[in-house]
Amino acid sequence: MNITIVNFKGGVGKSMIAHQLISGYGFNGYEIDPYGSLSDRLPESVLRVDIQEKKIEEPKKETIFDFGGFDDVKLDQAISYSDLIVIPFIPTLETIQGTVDTLVRVASANKPILMVPNMSQKENDINDAKFVFEETLGFEIEMFPIPMSVALQTAINENCAVGDLSKQGGIKAYAYKKSSKIIDDLHAKIREYENL
Ligand SMILES: Nc1ncnc2c1ncn2[C@@H]1O[C@H](COP(=O)(O)OP(=O)(O)OP(=O)(O)O)[C@@H](O)[C@H]1O
Ligand SMILES: [Mg+2]
């Protein structure tokens, strides 16, 4: 399956999720972000797509499209190749509007959408965001929350899957295991949309 990860808002966790799915579950990646570092971190599995390109070729292996925090002409094409659109966002009032814009922009493609409230502090903020999204779209939308986690940031810094950290044991093993399970569950959730 192919997955488009998008939000016109920056810093919401798009590349973190892409990185963890690629390093942990054998996906390839297309990095459609001139400011991104995913293709530098995982050069074997991530292709950098030039910002000048008007088109992207249909991937031959399971691929994650990691977009930067802006609209791009290649977004519709990536979505057409994708089984699922993942929209990470930070559920605070100030940042919801950018996410609504993204949601409205991609909803017309009629592909399944999974919203990922990331680094949320309060359960209530997630519910408020869900309400706004569903009011805007007129249909229900699935949410998969990811908490703020030092283990995830460590996995990014060490350029590995959080699942690999959790196998190392030691004093931090518990924190790693918790985050590893969340990413495992996210992957399982994503797989529910395969061949839908
Ligand atoms: N759940 C989390 N816990 C801890 N750190 C996180 C989490 N999610 C993301 N981060 C960190 O937050 C920062 C921003 O995330 P990331 O780069 O993935 O955002 P992005 O949406 O790809 O941004 P951009 O639009 O600039 O491409 C990164 O340092 C990332 O490692
Ligand atoms: Mg990014």
Side-chain angles (χ1 to χ4, degrees):
M1 76 183 297
N2 301 316
I3 302 157
T4 294
I5 305 183
V6 65
N7 192 332
F8 304 148
K9 186 101 187 76
V12 295
K14 298 180 289 289
S15 300
M16 183 279 288
I17 293 170
H19 182 276
Q20 289 301 300
L21 290 174
I22 293 164
S23 58
Y25 305 91
F27 282 94
N28 274 7
Y30 279 15
E31 178 170 51
I32 308 147
D33 179 2
Y35 309 109
S37 63
L38 198 62
S39 52
D40 298 326
R41 292 163 161 279
L42 305 169
E44 249 104 89
S45 39
V46 180
L47 189 81
R48 182 187 283 277
V49 181
D50 195 284
I51 189 76
Q52 308 292 349
E53 295 284 339
K54 294 279 180 294
K55 289 185 172 177
I56 29 181
E57 274 184 41
E58 178 152 20
K60 293 178 181 71
K61 260 197 74 185
E62 292 199 306
T63 292
I64 313 277
F65 298 99
D66 178 30
F67 281 89
F70 54 89
D71 204 345
D72 187 288
V73 287
K74 296 176 282 301
L75 180 58
D76 295 296
Q77 202 169 21
I79 290 173
S80 75
Y81 297 144
S82 297
D83 305 84
L84 176 67
I85 302 166
V86 171
I87 306 182
F89 68 102
I90 298 175
T92 59
L93 264 183
E94 309 83 70
T95 62
I96 279 312
Q97 189 55 47
T99 301
V100 168
D101 294 343
T102 307
L103 198 49
V104 168
R105 165 80 170 79
V106 303
S108 55
N110 281 322
K111 294 277 177 142
I113 298 168
L114 178 66
M115 303 297 298
V116 177
N118 187 20
M119 302 187 264
S120 68
Q121 310 282 352
K122 287 179 261 157
E123 175 86 33
N124 242 349
D125 290 345
I126 299 180
N127 294 332
D128 288 353
K130 191 175 195 299
F131 179 82
V132 172
F133 299 151
E134 291 180 347
E135 280 284 292
T136 308
L137 291 177
F139 53 83
E140 265 190 56
I141 199 144
E142 188 160 26
M143 309 272 257
F144 187 98
I146 299 181
M148 165 91 87
S149 141
V150 174
L152 281 177
Q153 188 58 61
T154 305
I156 298 297
N157 293 347
E158 297 196 3
N159 199 22
C160 66
V162 70
D164 294 337
L165 290 178
S166 77
K167 284 172 204 142
Q168 287 174 3
I171 190 155
K172 290 184 182 143
Y174 175 73
Y176 291 149
K177 280 210 169 68
K178 229 170 104 179
S179 290
S180 171
K181 181 170 187 312
I182 289 165
I183 297 300
D184 245 353
D185 290 347
L186 172 65
H187 176 245
K189 173 54 69 189
I190 283 170
R191 287 293 175 191
E192 290 178 13
Y193 292 88
E194 192 173 4
N195 303 320
L196 256 191

